[in-house]
Amino acid sequence: MVEDQRSQALLQDTFGRSIRYLRLSITERCNLRCCYCRSATGVRYQTEDDLLTTDETIRLVRLFVDLGVRRVRLTGGEPLMHRAIIALARAITALPNLEELSLSTNAILLARHAAALREAGVQRVNISLDSLNDATFATITRGGILQDALAGINAALQHGFHPVKINMVVMRGINDHEVGDMVFFAHQKGVVLRFIETMPIGEEGLEVVNRLVPADEILERIRHHFGSELHPVNKSTSGVGPARYFSLSGNGVDFGLISALSQHFCDTCNRVRLTARGALVLCLGQNDWVDLKTPLRSGWNDQELKGLLLKAIQDKPMRHHFGEVTTHHPGHYMVALGG
């Protein structure tokens, strides 16, 4: 117990924020080409040698957990395209002191993997779903099939993931007219819905940020759609995160808003991101990143690597500068960061 209490305070930045959450991108590959995430022509994939191996990934996660990280989320690209995802999940959930392993996915492949993922210890899933219309879904994802994603959502519910969260990136003139329908869908399914503002990450993000629908406007649309007042609610049971949750008066319908641009939540940020290339990204809206792959492959021992992680966290910036930073490291694009 004494050792665990000590570890909780180790990964703390200069602003007093304890880093408890690691978003782990295990692949840059994805079976969709969402318009806000990657270009229509795709991205230049790295060779296998350029990416962390499964053993290297597990070792780095173990070091993070030793230093106080308690929640890990597997992301991509599309993490279900990683050929060793089940073995990776089992190894991570076996780490002492880890409290939760979760997964972000587009759900296209989830129906076939849900049972194995749950057995391997994955506890909760976040699913990207930006439209309930077949044609709009295909347009946003550049060819995705809505029914495959819906089958994945059903499989997640069937196999006991809890909670199942649905994330909708709201874009003006594309899917913003579906906000009310998505609230009704989520309520019917018994899933947690969050609306997300578009973010200017990479060239694709910069192209769609002019379609931003601010959180306050989303709230007003829902108010108008249902003719009901909205009240803030506490959703602590759904996990600590950036969303603010609201409830519609009289019917128990809840939903969340993630307002990265209009009302940033940087002062409570408790996360960092590790890419499949071995880059530790300290903030989505900054160019700060630290190379972990080179020292890892240069023979650094665990204590040396922990020292590097501790030093890196000290450089975590106070806040993002979306709208001010327009250039990014070549590996700093949404499909490689996992959101």
Side-chain angles (χ1 to χ4, degrees):
M1 178 65 71
V2 173
E3 178 59 29
D4 187 52
Q5 289 176 343
R6 176 178 171 272
S7 69
Q8 289 182 17
L10 285 178
L11 283 178
Q12 191 171 76
D13 67 17
T14 55
F15 304 100
R17 298 172 297 191
S18 293
I19 307 305
R20 311 273 291 163
Y21 180 18
L22 175 67
R23 294 185 65 100
L24 177 65
S25 175
I26 59 176
T27 180
E28 297 182 355
R29 296 183 179 274
C30 189
N31 47 1
L32 300 180
R33 299 181 186 275
C34 297
C35 61
Y36 52 81
C37 187
R38 77 195 279 197
S39 69
T41 56
V43 297
R44 185 177 66 85
Y45 290 126
Q46 300 297 296
T47 66
E48 286 294 319
D49 288 343
D50 292 322
L51 305 178
L52 295 177
T53 67
T54 298
D55 287 344
E56 288 171 337
T57 300
I58 294 169
R59 183 184 177 196
L60 287 176
V61 175
R62 175 173 57 79
L63 297 180
F64 273 105
V65 173
D66 285 350
L67 292 173
V69 163
R70 293 294 174 262
R71 300 171 61 221
V72 174
R73 175 173 295 279
L74 300 176
T75 70
E78 172 48 53
L80 296 183
M81 295 187 72
H82 192 289
R83 59 191 176 192
I85 186 169
I86 303 302
L88 186 60
R90 283 200 188 99
I92 293 174
T93 55
L95 294 172
N97 295 320
L98 184 75
E99 295 174 0
E100 178 184 281
L101 179 65
S102 56
L103 173 80
S104 287
T105 175
N106 58 36
I108 298 296
L109 301 174
L110 187 55
R112 74 180 70 166
H113 292 297
L117 288 166
R118 193 71 187 92
E119 186 276 332
V122 178
Q123 296 161 262
R124 59 173 71 198
V125 290
N126 283 15
I127 296 171
S128 296
L129 184 70
D130 297 320
S131 176
L132 296 170
N133 177 276
D134 291 285
T136 305
F137 183 88
T139 297
I140 292 172
T141 60
R142 299 190 176 104
I145 299 173
L146 174 61
Q147 296 308 312
D148 291 342
L150 296 179
I153 294 171
N154 290 335
L157 293 169
Q158 175 188 347
H159 289 284
F161 293 95
H162 183 76
V164 174
K165 294 183 179 180
I166 302 297
N167 293 334
M168 178 186 184
V169 177
V170 182
M171 294 169 283
R172 192 179 304 280
I174 297 178
N175 65 350
D176 54 324
H177 61 286
E178 294 189 62
V179 163
D181 293 338
M182 193 68 78
V183 172
F184 184 69
F185 170 82
H187 182 59
Q188 281 190 314
K189 286 288 184 183
V191 299
V192 178
L193 171 66
R194 289 102 59 82
F195 296 108
I196 301 178
E197 294 179 342
T198 57
M199 289 181 281
I201 297 173
E203 294 178 6
E204 295 71 40
L206 290 171
E207 289 176 5
V208 300
V209 74
N210 63 330
R211 296 187 179 274
L212 169 71
V213 182
D216 284 347
E217 183 177 334
I218 295 172
L219 284 174
E220 185 55 39
R221 286 180 182 228
I222 294 172
R223 218 181 259 116
H224 182 266
H225 183 91
F226 289 96
S228 176
E229 289 302 311
L230 302 176
H231 303 283
V233 295
N234 181 6
K235 275 282 188 179
S236 59
T237 56
S238 297
V240 178
R244 297 175 294 126
Y245 287 93
F246 296 84
S247 179
L248 288 163
S249 295
N251 56 18
V253 177
D254 297 346
F255 62 91
L257 290 164
I258 298 178
S259 51
L261 268 73
S262 65
Q263 300 174 49
H264 74 78
F265 35 81
C266 301
D267 56 336
T268 59
C269 182
N270 65 344
R271 67 198 62 192
V272 291
R273 293 163 176 82
L274 178 60
T275 74
R277 304 185 193 191
L280 179 62
V281 178
L282 302 171
C283 174
L284 272 180
Q286 295 273 15
N287 293 331
D288 306 72
W289 62 283
V290 178
D291 176 18
L292 300 183
K293 181 178 64 180
T294 298
L296 186 69
R297 294 183 176 177
S298 298
W300 286 30
N301 63 36
D302 284 358
Q303 290 308 309
E304 290 171 323
L305 289 170
K306 285 182 180 180
L308 178 60
L309 296 180
L310 290 167
K311 182 178 183 301
I313 296 303
Q314 295 303 299
D315 293 329
K316 182 175 171 63
M318 177 59 220
R319 59 175 295 262
H320 68 63
H321 290 284
F322 287 136
E324 302 167 39
V325 178
T326 57
T327 59
H328 298 278
H329 176 262
H332 205 90
Y333 45 88
M334 187 62 85
V335 73
L337 292 171

